[in-house]
Amino acid sequence: MLRSLVGSEMCIRDSINAEYGESLRTTMAIRCAFENSNEVGVFSKLTNKYCLVSHGGSENFYSVFESELADHIPVVHASIAGCRVIGRMCAGNSKGLILPNTTTDTELQHIRNSLPDEVKVIRVEERLSALGNCIACNDHVALVHAELDRETEEIIQDVLGVEVFRTTIADNILVGSYCALSNQGCLVHPRTSIEDQEELCSLLQVPVMAGTVNRGSDVIGAGIVVNDWAAFAGLDTTSTELSVVESLFKLNEAGPSQLLDTMRSELIDNMTH
């Protein structure tokens, strides 16, 4: 009976793999580093439609992203204003990408050519040019620095297709630095009060949790990038921190895996009766 059970389960796996392909693989948070830096959110930008990775650094950093994402979205080498800190220089979601006015024409054209046609790529005239530090957004809502220009706020609404809220996180005005936000959840500075977490939860309409990355770092946005099915954190991130990330951002809720469990249960029931 055991041999029959194993053979039947292999058939189930084969049929599910044929239908779902790579999506059967359990999704989780992955540790990586850029050269000797654990600040992966400084050197990369991740959304549901594209991933930007900084020029330079070891090819291993790029290959980690490529191996997990390349079957689904483009993974693009890029620089912004000649800088490698691209994650702190831009803001975007699956609908668009906003770059500072210091972005060169060549860089702008390269990024536009590399991203899907439906993604709008816009340069903005903004005094606060480190846009990634000043803006945190998913596909529905953006949290922004309280002193961001009104014109920039309107561009964010138009290009990214989101509601915009001026706020702080744990009294820090650099909202992009102190949170990581996806369509599934939001990880915020560890000293964010319960009241503030509830207020953010109401604004964002996703679960909000206070936590850390990279073994206690409170600069969440610099230490992790996340979309709806993958997350990349610095090498120093502990297993406890990773488990919080995986739970909050629902990275372990893979539909095909659940389907496999259900079919396995039904198979066992049928063979034991």
Side-chain angles (χ1 to χ4, degrees):
M1 178 183 286
L2 179 60
R3 184 176 301 171
S4 176
L5 183 63
V6 171
S8 299
E9 177 155 340
M10 288 177 68
C11 290
I12 291 174
R13 283 185 178 275
D14 289 343
S15 63
I16 295 176
N17 274 324
E19 182 172 354
Y20 291 96
E22 285 298 309
S23 60
L24 179 61
R25 182 176 55 194
T26 302
T27 314
M28 60 182 184
I30 296 165
R31 296 183 183 98
C32 57
F34 184 89
E35 294 181 347
N36 293 321
S37 174
N38 289 301
E39 309 294 345
V40 297
V42 171
F43 301 101
S44 61
K45 175 65 183 173
L46 176 62
T47 74
N48 288 340
K49 288 287 182 70
Y50 56 87
C51 177
L52 302 181
V53 178
S54 175
H55 279 302
S58 68
E59 194 61 26
N60 184 50
F61 182 70
Y62 177 82
S63 66
V64 169
F65 284 85
E66 188 175 46
S67 64
E68 292 298 318
L69 303 173
D71 290 340
H72 309 287
I73 58 176
V75 182
V76 182
H77 273 305
S79 63
I80 297 174
C83 298
R84 301 196 295 178
V85 292
I86 58 172
R88 302 299 86 205
M89 299 291 284
C90 67
N93 59 15
S94 63
K95 302 167 193 170
L97 178 67
I98 298 176
L99 303 170
N101 65 340
T102 50
T103 307
T104 67
D105 292 341
T106 303
E107 291 168 338
L108 178 63
Q109 197 59 49
H110 167 64
I111 292 171
R112 277 183 174 156
N113 291 342
S114 303
L115 301 193
D117 292 340
E118 67 269 21
V119 177
K120 302 176 185 174
V121 182
I122 302 294
R123 256 187 315 211
V124 296
E125 294 282 342
E126 169 58 54
R127 176 176 58 87
L128 302 170
S129 60
L131 299 173
N133 289 335
C134 302
I135 303 166
C137 63
N138 60 16
D139 290 340
H140 310 289
V141 181
L143 306 177
V144 304
H145 191 293
E147 297 175 14
L148 209 67
D149 287 348
R150 292 291 173 186
E151 288 181 14
T152 304
E153 180 181 339
E154 291 173 6
I155 291 170
I156 293 170
Q157 290 173 329
D158 180 49
V159 174
L160 304 185
V162 294
E163 286 188 87
V164 178
F165 299 100
R166 293 173 184 266
T167 187
T168 60
I169 293 177
D171 296 325
N172 292 294
I173 56 177
L174 296 176
V175 291
S177 298
Y178 292 100
C179 78
L181 174 60
S182 79
N183 296 327
Q184 306 293 334
C186 181
L187 185 67
V188 296
H189 190 289
R191 293 187 180 176
T192 307
S193 66
I194 297 297
E195 293 79 11
D196 286 351
Q197 289 180 49
E198 290 174 350
E199 181 181 344
L200 287 171
C201 186
S202 177
L203 291 178
L204 299 170
Q205 295 296 300
V206 298
V208 175
M209 185 181 295
T212 60
V213 294
N214 286 329
R215 205 178 296 275
S217 171
D218 56 17
V219 191
I220 307 294
I224 186 172
V225 291
V226 60
N227 67 9
D228 288 355
W229 71 85
F232 300 86
L235 281 178
D236 283 348
T237 302
T238 66
S239 57
T240 303
E241 290 170 335
L242 278 186
S243 67
V244 169
V245 167
E246 291 175 354
S247 173
L248 175 62
F249 293 110
K250 301 179 175 63
L251 299 181
N252 287 327
E253 297 182 8
S257 295
Q258 292 176 340
L259 177 61
L260 179 62
D261 291 339
T262 301
M263 294 178 73
R264 182 190 294 116
S265 298
E266 291 175 355
L267 173 67
I268 293 172
D269 287 343
N270 289 338
M271 297 190 71
T272 54
H273 289 88

